[in-house]
Amino acid sequence: MVNLRMPSAGVQKPFISDEYLQVVVEFHKEHPAFAKRPITTYLSETLDRITSLSIGEAFTAVSFVSLLLCGVALYYLAALTGSTAKEAALSIIGFFSSFSILFAFFPPIYTYDEPIHYLLVYMSLIFLRQERWLPFIFLFSLSLVARESSLILLPGAAMLVIYADQDSKTSIWKLSILLAPVAIYVLYLVLFITGSGIEDASKQDFVGRLEHFKYNFQSIKFALEALLSFFLALGFQTYLLCSYASRKHLSVTERKFIAAFIITLALNTVIVYFTTWARESRLLALPLLFLWPILGKIAQSEFQYIKAKVRASTHNEILRWLPLFTTLAIVIIYITQKVYFQTIGSISDNLFNEYTAIILIFLVAHAILRFMLKPKSPMKDER
């Protein structure tokens, strides 16, 4: 998106495509589904107006600064969950290396509001964890204005602050705090839609979204992309979580964030497949907002466990699995290069296929070492 060449432009790709990004910004101002999410557009146009930056440069600055601040907020939230400095740093690496973030601006992901949305969500979750209610209400309300998909996060957010052993008055009070941003957003939405005169267009857009499930599975190629989009957005992280949870006694905080992830995963996946284009994997990645804060702890624990197994194993015990690993790696490379293609763009436009192959090969290696490798010697360290 940042340097996409328009058909009317010259042969050489621009460093920053003002022509294309101007069209993107205008589209988000005019389309009823996007017009009600004005924060990214407002910040980009304001930065364009008060500085010497072009609209393309302003959009790029807003997006990448927001992503940078997401990393800072994620680090702080991970620390609040009990992660060490190293584990919190690994959470940041897990965030930026995730498919939907690493390729955020590549078609068909087309990221626009997500950076500022993620930042607002993480800032609100920090205040939620600290039970500082007014800042939470303000920031979560803004996150709803940035993207209404924050509504899907509310059941998960409730898992973080409402406890089974709380008295009913406290639970009701916290529930009312969580629902306060919804009331504020509904008021904003009514005022915005009526003030903009887009009632009919909004209704048509809503009805049209009910056709997206048919679009996502209109052919084998589209269905394959829709399903693989789920794997690319969530598969690697979910696999590590399952491996970690199957051998560890989870802390109270971990159980809460994992429960929030699971309930958001269930809700969001249904909504995405039925009302959006599933090939835009950023939409499927929303549940990771609850998993990224503890992902560093999970990754560190898995690494230490695998390291302990390898140290306890002989060379022969390890090498006996090499033929299986090599065979599966060759199959993965063949499939990702010859079978899987996107419905938009080409294999030369991005590194989706290479990323898919790397992730699958890594998962195969992990699965062999984690589940199949059985060292005869006792393991000294399983932290």
Side-chain angles (χ1 to χ4, degrees), residues 281-342:
S281 60
R282 60 185 168 81
L283 303 172
L284 288 159
L286 185 68
L288 290 176
L289 285 169
F290 289 117
L291 191 57
W292 277 318
I294 62 172
L295 188 61
K297 184 182 294 186
I298 292 171
Q300 174 70 2
S301 177
E302 286 296 296
F303 174 76
Q304 293 296 338
Y305 183 71
I306 295 295
K307 184 179 178 181
K309 289 193 74 174
V310 170
R311 282 182 173 178
S313 303
T314 64
H315 285 89
N316 288 336
E317 287 174 332
I318 296 173
L319 290 175
R320 63 178 295 198
W321 295 106
L322 185 59
L324 175 62
F325 171 77
T326 303
T327 301
L328 291 176
I330 293 172
V331 171
I332 287 169
I333 292 172
Y334 176 81
I335 291 175
T336 53
Q337 294 298 314
K338 300 296 183 181
V339 178
Y340 166 58
F341 297 97
Q342 295 84 45

Side-chain angles (χ1 to χ4, degrees), residues 62-303:
V62 168
S63 298
F64 281 90
V65 169
S66 297
L67 282 174
L68 172 65
L69 294 176
C70 279
V72 177
L74 174 58
Y75 183 93
Y76 191 80
L77 182 59
L80 287 178
T81 67
S83 296
T84 65
K86 183 177 181 179
E87 290 167 348
L90 285 173
S91 286
I92 295 178
I93 294 174
F95 173 75
F96 285 115
S97 62
S98 296
F99 179 77
S100 60
I101 302 297
L102 188 62
F103 298 106
F105 302 99
F106 284 74
I109 301 177
Y110 290 121
T111 291
Y112 189 82
D113 291 304
E114 277 70 23
I116 194 67
H117 176 234
Y118 286 2
L119 176 60
L120 291 168
V121 168
Y122 272 140
M123 291 173 65
S124 66
L125 289 180
I126 288 171
F127 287 114
L128 184 68
R129 287 286 295 172
Q130 297 173 334
E131 297 194 351
R132 297 169 65 182
W133 306 123
L134 288 179
F136 164 76
I137 292 173
F138 174 72
L139 289 167
F140 201 82
S141 298
L142 282 180
S143 79
L144 284 165
V145 176
R147 277 191 67 87
E148 66 277 8
S149 57
S150 284
L151 290 169
I152 304 172
L153 299 172
L154 280 174
M159 300 296 296
L160 301 182
V161 294
I162 297 178
Y163 306 95
D165 57 350
Q166 282 179 341
D167 61 86
S168 58
K169 288 184 179 180
T170 302
S171 296
I172 292 173
W173 163 249
K174 290 183 176 181
L175 185 61
S176 65
I177 293 295
L178 290 171
L179 292 177
V182 180
I184 294 172
Y185 178 67
V186 169
L187 178 61
Y188 157 78
L189 205 58
V190 171
L191 294 175
F192 182 88
I193 291 178
T194 55
S196 304
I198 58 172
E199 296 96 327
D200 292 338
S202 296
K203 291 177 182 177
Q204 292 175 1
D205 176 68
F206 177 78
V207 172
R209 286 184 175 275
L210 301 179
E211 298 291 325
H212 280 73
F213 182 82
K214 181 179 179 181
Y215 178 90
N216 289 329
F217 295 94
Q218 61 183 284
S219 67
I220 294 178
K221 186 176 182 179
F222 274 80
L224 177 63
E225 184 182 45
L227 296 174
L228 192 57
S229 182
F230 179 90
F231 169 77
L232 288 173
L234 296 153
F236 174 67
Q237 298 87 346
T238 304
Y239 167 83
L240 286 183
L241 171 62
C242 292
S243 177
Y244 175 78
S246 67
R247 64 176 182 82
K248 295 289 288 186
H249 178 70
L250 301 175
S251 67
V252 173
T253 299
E254 287 175 327
R255 288 200 297 269
K256 285 183 172 296
F257 273 88
I258 292 171
F261 167 73
I262 292 172
I263 192 171
T264 307
L265 177 65
L267 291 171
N268 187 69
T269 301
V270 172
I271 292 171
V272 168
Y273 277 113
F274 277 89
T275 65
T276 68
W277 288 344
R279 68 186 184 190
E280 299 177 7
S281 60
R282 60 185 168 81
L283 303 172
L284 288 159
L286 185 68
L288 290 176
L289 285 169
F290 289 117
L291 191 57
W292 277 318
I294 62 172
L295 188 61
K297 184 182 294 186
I298 292 171
Q300 174 70 2
S301 177
E302 286 296 296
F303 174 76

Side-chain angles (χ1 to χ4, degrees), residues 37-50:
R37 311 170 187 165
I39 295 181
T40 299
T41 300
Y42 173 79
L43 291 175
S44 300
E45 291 190 323
T46 300
L47 193 60
D48 170 45
R49 186 175 64 254
I50 66 176

